[in-house]
Amino acid sequence: QKEVEQDPGPLSVPEGAIVSLNCTYSNSAFQYFMWYRQYSRKGPELLMYTYSSGNKEDGRFTAQVDKSSKYISLFIRDSQPSDSATYLCAMSGSEKLVFGKGTKLTVNP
Amino acid sequence: GAVVSQHPSWVICKSGTSVKIECRSLDFQATTMFWYRQFPKQSLMLMATSNEGSKATYEQGVEKDKFLINHASLTLSTLTVTSAHPEDSSFYICSARPKETQYFGPGTRLLVL
């Protein structure tokens, strides 16, 4: 079993849809959970950062962490074509980040 | 958020030459920086952890003599790909961490002919 599992998609939604992206993990030592957005040929951009369990909201983005289920989610409300990118979940216990494979999202106008 | 820059953004070189990539944290000091490579449609692969003032820690399977890392200051780490070959062609990305998370540079695309 891989440390972090993420459905690679691709995921295609119409503009305005609510998007749900998810990752599961196996290492109970993970405490820091992040979501990155990566456009083609660019470095990853930090979207959301959560410590331990709980929810965090920033504009149209909501990150959820459920440590009991080892499951994290990113919700995007009112999705826009500019949200089209690959979304990477990442997590760590101390120093190194462990990434999911990324989910490619396309938001169609 | 914290800003990390990389230079150059892309480079084309002949097989056998060496290429140096710079990674800078612009608005914070980073005792630790990380170097990744990414192949098309794949996730990031950690190559090494760069610590200011000490030797880098390389991941299993990464040749330390081929990928030389120097972290001479709290805002600068360099990756030198020595005697580059076509199989070294990839997207190289650095990151730096002010606290628990990491901020990434824009990446350097290397093409070895």
Side-chain angles (χ1 to χ4, degrees):
Chain A
Q1 182 185 11
K2 292 184 179 178
E3 274 196 297
V4 179
E5 299 270 9
Q6 182 178 8
D7 186 341
L11 183 61
S12 182
V13 302
E15 183 175 354
I18 296 174
V19 176
S20 172
L21 304 167
N22 312 292
C23 287
T24 59
Y25 63 95
S26 58
N27 190 341
S28 57
F30 289 148
Q31 298 181 76
Y32 305 99
F33 303 90
M34 285 139 277
W35 285 95
Y36 289 89
R37 176 173 63 194
Q38 187 176 24
Y39 292 111
S40 181
R41 298 174 180 263
K42 301 289 184 183
E45 170 194 7
L46 180 65
L47 274 180
M48 301 288 283
Y49 161 59
T50 308
Y51 170 69
S52 194
S53 283
N55 294 357
K56 189 172 185 178
E57 186 174 322
D58 184 2
R60 296 185 294 112
F61 299 91
T62 300
Q64 291 184 348
V65 175
D66 182 349
K67 290 190 71 178
S68 62
S69 302
K70 296 189 177 65
Y71 186 88
I72 70 171
S73 302
L74 177 71
F75 297 95
I76 307 174
R77 290 184 299 280
D78 187 25
S79 56
Q80 303 294 310
S82 58
D83 295 328
S84 299
T86 296
Y87 290 80
L88 298 154
C89 65
M91 47 200 80
S92 72
S94 55
E95 192 170 71
K96 294 181 188 177
L97 282 183
V98 180
F99 286 91
K101 286 190 174 295
T103 300
K104 184 172 183 179
L105 170 67
T106 301
V107 181
N108 301 300
Chain B
V3 180
V4 177
S5 70
Q6 268 184 256
H7 179 80
S9 56
W10 61 270
V11 58
I12 302 173
C13 68
K14 291 183 179 180
S15 185
T17 60
S18 294
V19 175
K20 180 186 281 188
I21 303 170
E22 291 185 350
C23 177
R24 293 181 185 272
S25 56
L26 297 185
D27 52 0
F28 65 97
Q29 293 184 331
T31 55
T32 305
M33 291 185 173
F34 301 87
W35 287 96
Y36 296 82
R37 66 188 297 181
Q38 186 176 36
F39 292 105
K41 299 185 180 181
Q42 294 189 24
S43 191
L44 289 83
M45 184 191 80
L46 180 65
M47 298 175 65
T49 302
S50 169
N51 299 296
E52 188 267 338
S54 64
K55 290 183 178 180
T57 303
Y58 291 81
E59 295 300 301
Q60 191 173 10
V62 178
E63 299 176 59
K64 61 178 71 175
D65 293 331
K66 180 163 188 64
F67 298 99
L68 299 179
I69 291 172
N70 183 278
H71 194 154
S73 78
L74 289 172
T75 59
L76 173 64
S77 176
T78 60
L79 168 69
T80 301
V81 184
T82 62
S83 186
H85 291 285
E87 58 266 30
D88 298 323
S89 299
S90 190
F91 191 47
Y92 292 87
I93 314 173
C94 72
S95 72
R97 44 176 280 166
K99 292 185 180 179
E100 295 84 14
T101 189
Q102 291 183 26
Y103 293 88
F104 287 84
T108 297
R109 191 160 300 278
L110 171 63
L111 177 60
V112 184
L113 303 176

